[in-house]
Amino acid sequence: MFKIQPGLFIYYYRGYDLEELAQYSTFEEVAYLLWLGRLPAGAELERFKAELAGRRKPPGHVDEAVRIAPKNAEPIDVLRTAVSAMALGEDLSDRSPEAELARGLKITAAMPYIVASFDRLRRGSQPLHPEEAKSHAEYFLWALRGERPMEKEVRALDVMLIIYAEHSMNNSAFTAVTVASTLSDMYAAITAAIASLKGPLHGGANVDAAKMLEEVGDAKIVESWVDQQLSRGRRIPGFGHRLYKKGPDPRLKVLRRLARDLAAEREDFRWVEIAERLEEYATAKGISPNTDL
């Protein structure tokens, strides 16, 4: 949920300031907070993390669905199909809060394996299941690359997961609620939400923004590239938002810092410099950036 002040959005998750959660918490703590209404104590957090870790490897038929997916498929399409397949063979008649929470854990825990495994398979490698990974973020990066990631990379992804964990009734959340309101099952609701997320006017804008950075390639040509796009009546990926019409997405404050820190760790500022120049030039033209950038 967010609170609107004149010219300012302040985000809260269950009463906690999002910026403070991004600074001091982990994705696991925030997931617990959003699902159960409070931050976990030490032992509660460890149990919760253990429950997630124990569900990271999906059922065999889901793993097989990922393995047989065409290598030219989009990862989000494979994820959507895999989540739908997770419902097969399960008794869905129990709709108690405990049963639904278990399904939420099962889906959330398996997503990193599904996406990382498909990417490895389409690159000619075999899926990995690094059981020693200590967090959701570390597991994904490790399963994706086949080697333990740097701590700053893990923390950057961890904060990204926190930033994206809740955004009020956006399109994909609304879609999930609509499906769930018919008393359909959890897997159906999340499958529909992923389908909504894919669209270029929603989560798919991340892909377009990444392609834009690659197309621009050099911060020195940002101005001419933007002018050319606007003269042709084209959108600038990563800019504009139905909610933030008079200023940038407030979550960018956290993401800018993350991008700079990670660039410094890698000693490679190319992409962040392009993004910063895009933000500066487009903002001067009255187009505000969003988290997709």
Side-chain angles (χ1 to χ4, degrees), residues 28-41:
E28 287 83 357
E29 288 177 303
V30 169
Y32 190 103
L33 170 67
L34 291 173
W35 282 343
L36 298 174
R38 57 185 174 81
L39 287 170

Side-chain angles (χ1 to χ4, degrees), residues 222-231 236 278 281 285:
V222 162
E223 290 86 347
S224 60
W225 187 89
V226 171
D227 288 341
Q228 185 179 66
Q229 292 295 106
L230 294 178
S231 68
I236 309 296
L278 279 164
Y281 191 65
K285 290 181 169 293

